Amino acid sequence: MAVSVPTALWDGVLDITKRCQKKREEPFLWAIQISGHLNMCGVSLPSVELAHILVFHICWDNNVPIAWKYLEQSISSKIAPPILVLGLVSARAIPCRRSRPAAYRLCLELLKRHAFSYESQISGQHCRRIMKSVDDALHLYQVFGVQEPGPGELVVEFVFAIVLKLLDATLEDDGLQDVSIEKQFKWASQQDMEVDVQDQADGKKEEIREALRKSNSVEAVKLIGQFLQHKLTSRLLRLASKNLASQWEGFMRCLTLLEAKSISVRNSGSSESLLHLSSHIQKSFSQEFKDIQHPSIRALINIRPLAPSTYQNHGANRSSLWIPLDLFLEDTMDGSQVTAESAIKSLADLVKSLQAINGITWHETFLGLWMAALRFVQRERDPIEGPVPRLDARLCILLCITTLAIADIIEEEDTALADERESMDTSQRKEKPVIGRRRKDLITSLKMLGDFESLLAPPQSVISVANQAAAKAMMFISGFKVGGGYFDSISLNDVPNNCAGNMRHLIVEACIARHLLDTSAYFWPGYVCGHMNQVPRNMSGQVSGWPALMKGAPLSTSMVNSLVTTPASSLAELEKVFEIAVSGPDDDKISAATILCSASLIRGWNIQEHTVRLAVRLLSPPPPADYHGSDSHLISYAPMIFSVLVGISSVDSVHVFSLHGMVPQLAASLMPICEVFGSRAPNITWKLPTGEELSVHMLFSTAFILLMRLWRFNCPPLEHCVLGKGASLGSQLTPEYLLLVRNSQLASSGNKHREKKFSSQEGLSNRRVSFSSTQPIFMESFPKLSTWYRQHQACLASTLSGLVHGTPFHQVVDGLLSMMFRKLNKGGPPGASASSSFSSSSGNGSDDISQRPMLPAWEIMEAVPFVVDAALTACSHGRLYPRELATGLKILADFLPASLATIVSYFSAEVTRGVWKPAFMNGTDWPSPAANLSYVEAAIKKVVATTGADVPSLEIGGSSPVTLPLPLAAFVSLTITYKLDHATEPFLNLAGPALEGLAADCPWPSMPIVASLWTQKAKRWNDFLIFSASRTVFLQSTDAVVQLLQSCFSATLDSSSGNPLSSNGGVGALLGHGLVPLPSGGLLPVAPGILYLRMYRSIRDILFVTKKILSVLVASVTEIATKGMSKEEVAKLSKSKYGMRYGHLSLSAAMGKAKQAAALGASLLWLSGGTGLVQMLFQETLPSWFLSKDGLQSGEAQGKAAMLIGYALAYFAMLSGAFAWGVDSFSKRRPGVLSGHLDFLAGVLDGQISLSCNWATWHAYVSGFLGLIVASAPKWVGEVNVDTLKRLSRGLRLLDEKELALSLLEGGGAGAMGAAAELVIGSPIFA
């Protein structure tokens, strides 16, 4: 005890106490005398020294009732610090509870009366000194390790320490301390061992003392329960659970032991379990905030449960929940570019964000996801032809990507449950692992899915597969044990009429394949109807197909034909084919590669994640065991590799790789193929089983063009400058970036391995599916490819230069020109004498193929830009006819198909330079579009009819001849020379999107002219070309983009009906039925959402979209709140007496519509620019809107209308951030961006920043946005600077948002614990 005043003073205190104790004076008289004595001596109260003196006086020479009464009076009169007195007494009495049970009982009573109020103890001139004394008395630093705790932090530690001491004491008294693994808490306390020998000798007294000891244990249990249940202390203990995690974990283990085995607990008669109370304390503060929040904020967070009738019109209702899902899924179908990130992760993050923010159950979430994916498939009922992904890619998303995303979400919970189970004591574990809530909710959602028959009707092409799935289930419940491979031959005629399958049967099979369900799903009511009495006749015959292969049957022609058209049903079957492709006979290698990359790749939905990885591995086969030589071992695998390349080159196949996030690995496997075969002279060929010869150039070209399709190779660097930080991820794809992602995936592959997660078979499934190479790969690993890439970038950035006459390179260029134009007159082409790239021998070439340059592909690729430049220059000067130019380019592309990629990039770059004169499409020099132009114009107007967009006239003639930029005219003339057949498909899959993008970048009406020319040549692509031309209507000005955005909001909210609270609109009106062809040609009017999703990637300056989306959102919400109401009615709406409803306007209904608009805005913003636009929203757009005149428009709306705008903006901002960064995942950008925005909010709340918007709008935004963060993304709170949280908390209290202020601090981590505790202690709601 430290005494800072003369000892005589404290002797006087003891004398007064002893005198009063002897006279048995009342405690309040004693307190008056002590207080007067200390005041006379100049000692300020409450006195730390007095607390020490009184406790020392009692323990243990004066352990009598009157002394204890005086001690309690010192607490009540506050002449001694209550928290210090309780700490000192607990430190002395609890260790001596066995020898001094009466003193322990009195200690418990003091705690029961005075340990639940601290408001007056966390301030004052001696506060710091008092808290330091409490810390020393209970040795809190040694237990919790918090240095220099503030008053709030110390109160939390004090309460937790008292509960821990009581728990530890009770365990020991009940003989349970030795049962635990180790003593959880080591208290450095005084060990008072005095024993009253006379009491021990008195047997009767000893019996009383023993009874008191047992009673004390029961009272201690009750007191622990009181601490866990009381409003104030339970909230303080919650802070301890969040910020003193290791100690809390030990506390919970001890509490579990006490609950399970303690006699005192059973004797306490407590109505509530201690574990239940402690679990309630651990309940997420975000969940508690949801439960007690203001109704208007609850409307932002909580949604009523689903009813089956809600979804009968699957396009209109509850759209605010599923709009982001529908838009995301539809956006994945844009085939103009691939992505490096897996759609599985993106979809899983999106689903988790929507579930958290909307506060809905997981079975509602999963049901909404399944229905969005089914709607997504339904929109491809009548697919159009063209180089775009179609139904197979959509089915991949429904049956594979969606299933794997759900598997990730469920695995997350299963992992947490497994970790929790592992942390339990062995005796406390249950025999079987607990099934998580999410897995149960998935089952519930799939059962409910059967109620929506209109969504479950399978597309025509998968009816037979759905029938097989239904037949499999019916045979299983009928007792027939038949493997999956036997179902390949089942047709609709082979099964009972009541066994027709639907999409739910396919979904369930996909879930069973990933171990999300088991075969008990076959017994669900209504899943199948009836039983089978016999096996279908087509299944009772000889084993064939995949079962035969697994039994060792050879790969005969009939077998291969069967396996090519039938997907594998298991990973073991895929592994069998893979092993044959790698190590089988040469002919079998080709057949096996073809099998793996056919139906199993496109429609093997249950094993597709394995197929894509095995296909990529086939492109990098290991060296044969007997391989020797200096050439690359890939040469010996050339026919097999070519079979793989052909198999994976379709648009749908490439899209499947993109959806699975395999593009980086695919690119890394293609680069060595290009390097090896591009460096080889074309002096070797291979005979294919079809009888055709495979050349080195063809193999190289097939690999190279596939590689080019994996990144936007033909986009000039200017694009990145214009888009800036707003550029979406796709526009930044480069070979270097793909390799960087691939290397990053390689580094983390040990932690992220899907094959191991879902497989239980033998072989490869039990090993991590390895990368083609276990070493990082860089562009420098491929010298020839790197050289071409540098030249390619230089060509895009500036005009060509550096061609020197007489050099070997010039001779290559000359030779190619001779080959291209050898059929011209002997005197040479018209431009021979003027072009430095034409030689005088150009006309002397022979038609003999032997005259073609026998050079490695890379040498030709290096010369192609100069060749094309020379030809185009000659044409522009009239020395080469356009038809001759097109013919020459076609000869070059036929000679080396890979040159088509360089031709595309050259023309793309030259169009942006604007140095070429226009080409007159008059039908004489260049082909004329006149025959189709009026038809194209009418078709375009029909497509964009839903938006009201103005289509500029395409009338020709007179002074307005039809022209195209010369490079575009040359390219379109080249492309229309191709036939639409299987042989040219890989090259048109490159040229088609490139032509579309090139024409879209040119002035209007370039794309309609191109469409007119192509529709004359390729009727099958008519609808694709018409739609591509329609998209460019919105690229002519920012006003057209804004009009399209307005159309999206109007369609979703059904604004055209005149009723802003209409139940129509929603997803159905926003996305419609996709692209629907008309029997007479052309398309039905396309929904505005589809038009925007297929257009926004072509917007050159995407940054302006953020502000426009915000403006359209505010205007839409204002219309929702006030449309059809007079100014007087709007004014009445602001008055409280009209409550939550006025006239026909329900705040709940209006909030639902406002959320719908906000969800649409957030989805479009995120999809348009990714994290870049979301970052811009928080850092620039929203602050500017609140501060500038743009925010004044909300001033016209009064009361609840203004409030509605604020809540809509809060929901919009929250969704945007969650889509970009996730609610619980790691993000590098999120902490900085979020902290900056919250600093802005704190600045306004502090009064440092002035606003221009309506204050009701601001109040609603702040409370709504912060409320959503607390309720749905608590991890975000912990990333914000503690000082910012404290400023926000102070400002929120001024807005009377005390609960939100506290919740923010509670989530702020250990740094905010003290501030949160002080707020709890000082709040009357916790008294």
Side-chain angles (χ1 to χ4, degrees):
M1 178 186 68
V3 179
S4 57
V5 290
T7 305
L9 184 149
W10 302 110
D11 289 342
V13 169
L14 289 175
D15 290 341
I16 294 172
T17 301
K18 291 177 181 178
R19 184 172 64 251
C20 291
Q21 186 176 320
K22 187 175 182 179
K23 295 180 178 180
R24 306 192 66 80
E25 290 188 2
E26 292 296 326
F28 77 92
L29 294 176
W30 168 84
I32 292 174
Q33 295 181 56
I34 293 294
S35 178
H37 175 73
L38 293 177
N39 286 334
M40 182 178 62
C41 295
V43 178
S44 58
L45 302 178
S47 169
V48 171
E49 289 81 1
L50 178 62
H52 282 278
I53 288 290
L54 294 177
V55 173
F56 181 78
H57 172 68
I58 292 176
C59 302
W60 296 108
D61 294 338
N62 291 279
N63 183 19
V64 293
I66 190 64
W68 283 94
K69 290 181 179 181
Y70 290 163
L71 185 63
E72 183 181 17
Q73 186 63 46
S74 72
I75 297 174
S76 302
S77 303
K78 294 185 173 53
I79 58 176
I83 189 173
L84 179 57
V85 172
L86 295 176
L88 291 170
V89 169
S90 299
R92 300 298 296 273
I94 293 177
C96 299
R97 63 190 179 282
R98 299 294 299 171
S99 60
R100 306 185 187 279
Y104 181 43
R105 183 57 166 268
L106 292 172
C107 173
L108 294 177
E109 289 298 324
L110 285 178
L111 291 170
K112 189 183 299 184
R113 296 181 185 183
H114 301 287
F116 298 94
S117 177
Y118 302 93
E119 183 175 4
S120 62
Q121 304 181 57
I122 58 173
S123 60
Q125 59 178 333
H126 299 303
C127 177
R128 288 286 178 183
R129 186 166 174 237
I130 292 171
M131 296 304 167
K132 179 64 171 61
S133 298
V134 174
D135 193 347
D136 293 340
L138 294 174
H139 306 281
L140 298 180
Y141 174 73
Q142 287 89 328
V143 177
F144 302 115
V146 180
Q147 293 183 339
E148 300 182 2
E153 293 168 305
L154 193 130
V155 172
V156 172
E157 293 180 2
F158 170 80
V159 172
F160 192 23
I162 294 298
V163 173
L164 289 175
K165 279 180 168 290
L166 294 174
L167 175 61
D168 200 44
T170 307
L171 283 171
E172 187 174 311
D173 291 345
D174 284 355
L176 299 176
Q177 195 67 28
D178 293 337
V179 179
S180 62
I181 299 175
E182 61 178 353
K183 187 164 180 164
Q184 298 292 337
F185 307 102
K186 308 293 185 180
W187 302 99
S189 56
Q190 299 181 26
Q191 300 298 318
D192 299 292
M193 302 301 296
E194 299 93 344
V195 177
D196 191 330
V197 179
Q198 293 181 350
D199 285 348
Q200 285 186 340
D202 191 328
K204 186 176 181 179
K205 284 188 176 182
E206 183 57 30
E207 290 180 8
I208 295 174
R209 287 156 64 92
E210 185 59 33
L212 185 57
R213 292 188 190 105
K214 294 180 180 180
S215 175
N216 285 347
S217 295
V218 173
E219 289 301 315
V221 169
K222 291 180 179 180
L223 185 55
I224 292 172
Q226 191 173 345
F227 273 107
L228 296 175
Q229 199 169 17
H230 190 272
K231 283 185 178 181
L232 174 64
T233 53
S234 65
R235 202 69 181 244
L236 295 175
L237 287 172
R238 175 180 302 180
L239 291 172
S241 73
K242 300 293 181 184
N243 301 296
L244 304 173
S246 60
Q247 291 85 354
W248 185 266
E249 183 180 349
F251 166 70
M252 289 301 298
R253 283 198 295 267
C254 290
L255 195 63
T256 302
L257 178 64
L258 185 75
E259 184 86 18
K261 299 185 177 182
S262 172
I263 298 175
S264 300
V265 171
R266 290 194 290 271
N267 293 338
S268 66
S270 176
S271 59
E272 285 199 75
S273 162
L274 294 179
L275 281 176
H276 173 74
L277 292 173
S278 61
S279 298
H280 177 73
I281 285 177
Q282 285 184 288
K283 178 182 179 182
S284 168
F285 65 84
S286 60
Q287 182 60 47
E288 180 166 297
F289 176 74
K290 293 180 188 179
D291 297 341
I292 64 177
Q293 192 48 261
H294 187 275
S296 57
I297 297 184
R298 282 205 304 271
L300 271 180
I301 301 171
N302 295 325
I303 305 296
R304 291 187 300 274
L306 290 173
S309 60
T310 302
Y311 279 118
Q312 294 306 318
N313 178 354
H314 53 267
N317 295 315
R318 294 176 61 85
S319 297
S320 62
L321 298 183
W322 315 127
I323 279 176
L325 288 176
D326 284 86
L327 286 172
F328 171 81
L329 293 176
E330 196 61 49
D331 186 64
T332 61
M333 287 300 291
D334 190 325
S336 63
Q337 62 186 45
V338 297
T339 59
E341 185 180 47
S342 167
I344 300 167
K345 180 182 183 303
S346 299
L347 182 57
D349 288 344
L350 176 60
V351 169
K352 288 191 290 184
S353 296
L354 290 173
Q355 189 274 337
I357 293 173
N358 289 311
I360 53 179
T361 63
W362 277 108
H363 90 260
E364 292 178 274
T365 304
F366 290 145
L367 180 59
L369 174 58
W370 288 124
M371 297 185 69
L374 286 167
R375 284 193 296 268
F376 170 71
V377 170
Q378 297 290 342
R379 283 193 286 273
E380 191 72 9
R381 283 289 181 176
D382 301 301
I384 65 172
E385 287 200 52
V388 291
R390 293 188 283 182
L391 180 61
D392 286 330
R394 290 179 182 262
L395 290 170
C396 163
I397 289 177
L398 168 65
L399 298 173
C400 188
I401 300 301
T402 301
T403 308
L404 293 175
I406 291 176
D408 280 352
I409 292 170
I410 291 176
E411 184 200 27
E412 188 177 72
E413 182 185 51
D414 289 348
T415 300
L417 290 173
D419 292 343
E420 182 180 345
R421 187 170 182 268
E422 287 297 321
S423 65
M424 290 181 179
D425 188 74
T426 307
S427 61
Q428 300 170 15
R429 295 182 189 174
K430 297 182 180 180
E431 293 184 5
K432 294 183 178 180
V434 178
I435 299 177
R437 179 75 263 171
R438 296 179 185 179
R439 190 179 295 270
K440 294 178 181 177
D441 282 356
L442 171 64
I443 295 173
T444 302
S445 72
L446 290 173
K447 289 179 179 178
M448 294 177 65
L449 192 60
D451 296 333
F452 309 104
E453 295 182 3
S454 61
L455 280 177
L456 295 174
Q460 187 67 32
S461 60
V462 294
I463 288 177
S464 61
V465 185
N467 291 339
Q468 292 170 19
K472 178 181 178 181
M474 183 172 284
M475 293 186 65
F476 183 88
I477 64 176
S478 301
F480 296 107
K481 305 297 183 182
V482 183
Y486 290 84
F487 291 89
D488 302 339
S489 57
I490 291 182
S491 68
L492 187 59
N493 297 326
D494 297 324
V495 297
N497 293 332
N498 58 357
C499 192
N502 59 34
M503 297 306 294
R504 185 168 73 137
H505 293 106
L506 297 179
I507 291 172
V508 167
E509 289 300 320
C511 291
I512 291 174
R514 275 84 183 189
H515 306 297
L516 301 176
L517 303 174
D518 55 31
T519 50
S520 63
Y522 296 157
F523 295 92
W524 291 347
Y527 186 72
V528 291
C529 301
H531 291 69
M532 284 186 180
N533 297 322
Q534 61 183 5
V535 177
R537 61 180 180 273
N538 282 356
M539 295 180 56
S540 58
Q542 186 175 357
V543 174
S544 61
W546 287 103
L549 177 70
M550 297 305 290
K551 291 180 179 295
L555 284 177
S556 62
T557 302
S558 60
M559 170 78 78
V560 172
N561 292 336
S562 173
L563 300 184
V564 163
T565 57
T566 307
S569 60
S570 68
L571 178 59
E573 293 171 349
L574 290 178
E575 292 171 354
K576 178 77 172 179
V577 174
F578 177 83
E579 294 297 340
I580 295 174
V582 171
S583 57
D586 289 344
D587 288 344
D588 285 357
K589 286 180 180 180
I590 299 174
S591 299
T594 304
I595 292 169
L596 186 68
C597 299
S598 52
S600 294
L601 174 64
I602 296 299
R603 297 209 163 183
W605 304 300
N606 296 344
I607 41 84
Q608 198 172 57
E609 64 270 27
H610 306 301
T611 310
V612 293
R613 285 166 170 77
L614 292 175
V616 170
R617 290 184 62 198
L618 278 183
L619 294 175
S620 303
D626 57 349
Y627 174 76
H628 300 287
S630 58
D631 285 343
S632 169
H633 71 280
L634 295 177
I635 300 293
S636 62
Y637 285 103
M640 185 272 288
I641 291 176
F642 182 72
S643 297
V644 176
L645 292 173
V646 172
I648 67 176
S649 290
S650 70
V651 173
D652 279 318
S653 296
V654 173
H655 209 66
V656 166
F657 280 96
S658 175
L659 292 171
H660 282 275
M662 291 296 296
V663 166
Q665 292 188 44
L666 179 58
S669 295
L670 290 171
M671 288 179 184
I673 295 175
C674 294
E675 186 74 15
V676 169
F677 289 94
S679 304
R680 179 104 186 195
N683 54 8
I684 182 174
T685 60
W686 298 268
K687 195 79 169 180
L688 298 178
T690 59
E692 299 174 323
E693 283 194 348
L694 171 64
S695 68
V696 172
H697 279 179
M698 179 54 69
L699 194 152
F700 166 80
S701 294
T702 306
F704 184 78
I705 286 180
L706 180 56
L707 178 62
M708 293 300 100
R709 289 168 59 193
L710 302 184
W711 54 286
R712 300 187 69 177
F713 71 98
N714 60 316
C715 293
L718 176 65
E719 172 184 342
H720 306 304
C721 301
V722 174
L723 291 181
K725 65 183 179 183
S728 61
L729 176 62
S731 65
Q732 298 169 357
L733 289 184
T734 62
E736 298 98 332
Y737 178 76
L738 290 175
L739 290 179
L740 180 65
V741 174
R742 181 262 177 197
N743 294 338
S744 176
Q745 291 174 344
L746 174 65
S748 60
S749 60
N751 299 325
K752 297 179 180 179
H753 170 55
R754 189 171 301 281
E755 285 75 10
K756 183 177 180 179
K757 178 171 71 175
F758 292 123
S759 273
S760 59
Q761 294 99 328
E762 295 293 329
L764 292 176
S765 57
N766 288 330
R767 305 193 300 270
R768 179 166 59 86
V769 174
S770 61
F771 283 64
S772 302
S773 170
T774 58
Q775 299 299 320
I777 299 177
F778 305 96
M779 282 292 290
E780 291 73 16
S781 306
F782 314 105
K784 297 292 186 180
L785 177 61
S786 297
T787 300
W788 173 87
Y789 181 55
R790 287 192 297 270
Q791 184 201 46
H792 164 77
Q793 289 179 306
C795 178
L796 291 176
S798 62
T799 56
L800 292 174
S801 62
L803 184 60
V804 180
H805 284 275
T807 62
F809 180 70
H810 177 267
Q811 293 174 6
V812 173
V813 174
D814 222 22
L816 290 174
L817 287 169
S818 299
M819 177 192 71
M820 293 166 60
F821 302 109
R822 67 181 180 274
K823 291 184 179 181
L824 299 182
N825 292 331
K826 187 174 182 180
S833 60
S835 173
S836 61
S837 296
F838 282 73
S839 72
S840 59
S841 62
S842 297
N844 297 327
S846 171
D847 289 342
D848 191 342
I849 194 171
S850 63
Q851 298 299 314
R852 295 184 175 184
M854 298 297 288
L855 299 172
W858 285 123
E859 295 185 25
I860 298 172
M861 293 293 289
E862 186 180 0
V864 167
F866 296 92
V867 171
V868 179
D869 183 67
L872 193 63
T873 301
C875 184
S876 70
H877 289 86
R879 291 185 290 272
L880 189 67
Y881 294 122
R883 187 181 300 275
E884 295 167 346
L885 172 65
T887 302
L889 292 175
K890 183 65 164 59
I891 292 173
L892 176 62
D894 288 344
F895 169 60
L896 182 65
S899 63
L900 186 62
T902 300
I903 294 172
V904 168
S905 62
Y906 172 80
F907 284 146
S908 299
E910 292 304 310
V911 161
T912 64
R913 301 196 219 286
V915 298
W916 300 93
K917 65 181 183 180
F920 292 92
M921 315 302 291
N922 52 19
T924 303
D925 298 320
W926 298 93
S928 172
N932 273 11
L933 207 53
S934 59
Y935 162 76
V936 169
E937 180 179 6
I940 290 174
K941 289 180 177 179
K942 183 175 292 185
V943 168
V944 303
T946 58
T947 68
D950 180 30
V951 180
S953 174
L954 300 182
E955 292 184 6
I956 60 174
S959 61
S960 302
V962 178
T963 64
L964 288 177
L966 181 61
L968 176 58
F971 188 43
V972 72
S973 298
L974 167 63
T975 56
I976 61 177
T977 64
Y978 281 88
K979 295 180 180 180
L980 293 183
D981 55 29
H982 182 72
T984 60
E985 181 184 355
F987 313 116
L988 285 177
N989 288 340
L990 175 79
L995 175 63
E996 180 190 15
L998 180 57
D1001 286 339
C1002 293
W1004 179 269
S1006 296
M1007 188 60 213
I1009 293 173
V1010 170
S1012 299
L1013 293 169
W1014 254 91
T1015 51
Q1016 298 175 43
K1017 168 73 176 179
K1019 296 293 185 183
R1020 288 162 46 193
W1021 280 18
N1022 179 77
D1023 295 333
F1024 161 71
L1025 294 164
I1026 292 297
F1027 181 70
S1028 297
S1030 302
R1031 297 185 308 113
T1032 60
V1033 170
F1034 304 99
L1035 301 177
Q1036 307 313 307
S1037 68
T1038 57
D1039 291 340
V1041 176
V1042 173
Q1043 186 173 4
L1044 180 56
L1045 286 171
Q1046 290 171 338
S1047 298
C1048 290
F1049 278 84
S1050 296
T1052 305
L1053 303 173
D1054 192 34
S1055 299
S1056 60
S1057 68
N1059 178 9
L1061 301 183
S1062 168
S1063 61
N1064 297 320
V1067 171
L1070 176 65
L1071 298 176
H1073 298 285
L1075 304 182
V1076 183
L1078 289 170
S1080 59
L1083 298 168
L1084 283 174
V1086 178
I1090 297 291
L1091 284 168
Y1092 184 83
L1093 291 176
R1094 299 297 176 261
M1095 177 276 302
Y1096 74 81
R1097 287 183 174 88
S1098 298
I1099 299 175
R1100 300 296 293 174
D1101 183 5
I1102 198 69
L1103 299 181
F1104 86 100
V1105 169
T1106 308
K1107 186 176 181 180
K1108 296 304 179 184
I1109 289 177
L1110 179 62
S1111 299
V1112 176
L1113 171 61
V1114 171
S1116 300
V1117 176
T1118 303
E1119 184 180 24
I1120 291 169
T1122 61
K1123 187 172 183 180
M1125 300 175 65
S1126 66
K1127 291 184 178 180
E1128 292 76 14
E1129 289 174 325
V1130 174
K1132 287 181 179 180
L1133 184 63
S1134 66
K1135 298 179 181 179
S1136 59
K1137 69 177 182 178
Y1138 291 94
M1140 298 291 284
R1141 179 184 292 271
Y1142 175 75
H1144 297 288
L1145 179 63
S1146 163
L1147 179 61
S1148 176
M1151 185 73 80
K1153 279 288 185 179
K1155 288 180 62 178
Q1156 197 173 31
L1160 173 61
S1163 303
L1164 295 179
L1165 178 74
W1166 171 55
L1167 293 173
S1168 298
T1171 58
L1173 286 194
V1174 174
Q1175 181 174 333
M1176 182 180 178
L1177 173 73
F1178 283 103
Q1179 292 180 333
E1180 301 175 23
T1181 311
L1182 278 174
S1184 296
W1185 188 88
F1186 284 116
L1187 296 176
S1188 68
K1189 293 182 180 180
D1190 292 338
L1192 287 174
Q1193 58 184 309
S1194 64
E1196 300 172 2
Q1198 300 294 320
K1200 291 186 173 61
M1203 178 193 69
L1204 194 65
I1205 293 172
Y1207 284 133
L1209 290 178
Y1211 191 66
F1212 167 66
M1214 184 66 208
L1215 282 179
S1216 299
F1219 294 164
W1221 307 314
V1223 291
D1224 61 356
S1225 55
F1226 171 76
S1227 171
K1228 291 182 178 180
R1229 288 190 179 185
R1230 182 177 62 214
V1233 176
L1234 185 64
S1235 294
H1237 188 64
L1238 294 188
D1239 278 334
F1240 167 72
L1241 301 188
V1244 176
L1245 294 174
D1246 288 345
Q1248 300 174 8
I1249 302 174
S1250 299
L1251 298 176
S1252 296
C1253 68
N1254 188 297
W1255 183 255
T1257 299
W1258 169 254
H1259 186 170
Y1261 175 76
V1262 171
S1263 60
F1265 180 63
L1266 295 178
L1268 284 168
I1269 290 179
V1270 167
S1272 56
K1275 185 174 181 178
W1276 292 15
V1277 182
E1279 296 172 347
V1280 179
N1281 184 275
V1282 173
D1283 291 336
T1284 302
L1285 292 178
K1286 291 178 180 178
R1287 292 170 62 201
L1288 288 170
S1289 178
R1290 287 194 296 268
L1292 289 170
R1293 282 181 299 221
L1294 295 176
L1295 296 178
D1296 200 27
E1297 298 283 355
K1298 295 184 177 62
E1299 186 63 36
L1300 178 55
L1302 175 58
S1303 297
L1304 266 181
L1305 291 175
E1306 282 187 323
M1313 181 172 69
E1318 291 174 21
L1319 183 55
V1320 170
I1321 294 168
S1323 177
I1325 63 175
F1326 299 110

